[in-house]
Amino acid sequence: MVEREGGKEGTGDHAAAAPPTSPLSFPSSPIPHPIFTADNAEVCLFVKDAPGGGAKDAKKRAAEAKLAAKAGVTKVLAVSKLKTKFEPHEAKRRLAGAYDLFLADARVLPMLAKALGKGFFRAKKQPVPVDLTSKDWAAPIERAVSSTYMFRGGGSCVNIKVGRTAQGADAVAANARAALAAALPHVAGGWAGVASVMLKLASSAALPVYQAGAGGKGEEGVGGAAAPAAVEA
């Protein structure tokens, strides 16, 4: 899908089904032109509750690591606060719409699916796990914010956000190639398991870039490239 400034460009793969995964488990892909930066996005970080620490300590560490300036982390929220302050469905809906990206201490991930509700998953706003067990919080958080993610629905379609329209065609194309290359190892059969690749805005029709032809050979689409060229890094 590609996002307008306001929206995100991304690709949609129709791929052979892979083994089911947790709704909070999805492969990441570094991209050369990050969709989210500290200048254009607001990020919320979920942290664990800990005796004598929890959100208060996490907010202090986030400030020390300059996460707002480096990665756009403007909100640190403890799981206990999520469960109490954001229990109603409408409160969860407002929370999902208030931030561009959600991160979570990997240790609290199992607690979040029920606490966040189905709306987060429908909006593809499920939190990205980050390792906060080390002293250096900045590196894993910056890496998570600068990557993109592969979302698999209940069927055979995979969605990957690859850019914003304001980034320009060259940047979006470079992101799409990198994202496809990273996604293929997670598709059963690799390219042989891909039926089509499409590019679309959130509210537009899908533009075909690649379609498998008879015998599984790729046909050139709008992008003018057959399958192997589409994943050149």
Side-chain angles (χ1 to χ4, degrees), residues 48-61:
K48 73 185 188 77
D49 293 279
K56 185 176 181 180
D57 180 59
K59 288 176 182 178
K60 180 181 178 182
R61 294 192 63 175

Side-chain angles (χ1 to χ4, degrees), residues 73-160:
V73 177
T74 57
K75 180 73 171 179
V76 177
L77 190 63
V79 174
S80 60
K81 184 66 69 69
L82 171 66
K83 291 180 177 179
T84 55
K85 187 175 180 180
F86 297 94
E87 183 178 7
H89 171 76
E90 181 59 24
K92 289 183 175 70
R93 189 188 68 79
R94 288 197 301 269
L95 178 63
Y99 298 93
D100 300 285
L101 182 68
F102 291 86
L103 307 178
D105 184 331
R107 294 169 292 183
V108 306
L109 214 57
M111 311 175 197
L112 293 179
K114 183 177 179 180
L116 292 174
K118 295 179 181 178
F120 263 76
F121 297 97
R122 283 195 293 267
K124 296 181 175 62
K125 289 289 188 77
Q126 50 263 62
V128 174
V130 288
D131 181 4
L132 299 184
T133 58
S134 68
K135 291 183 179 180
D136 179 14
W137 280 20
I141 288 177
E142 287 183 77
R143 188 162 53 247
V145 172
S146 63
S147 296
T148 192
Y149 298 88
M150 183 174 100
F151 295 92
R152 186 184 296 277
S156 61
C157 186
V158 170
N159 291 290
I160 309 170

Side-chain angles (χ1 to χ4, degrees), residues 20-40:
T21 58
S22 160
L24 285 171
S25 174
F26 38 88
S28 65
S29 168
I31 48 178
H33 307 281
I35 298 167
F36 299 122
T37 68
D39 295 328
N40 70 15

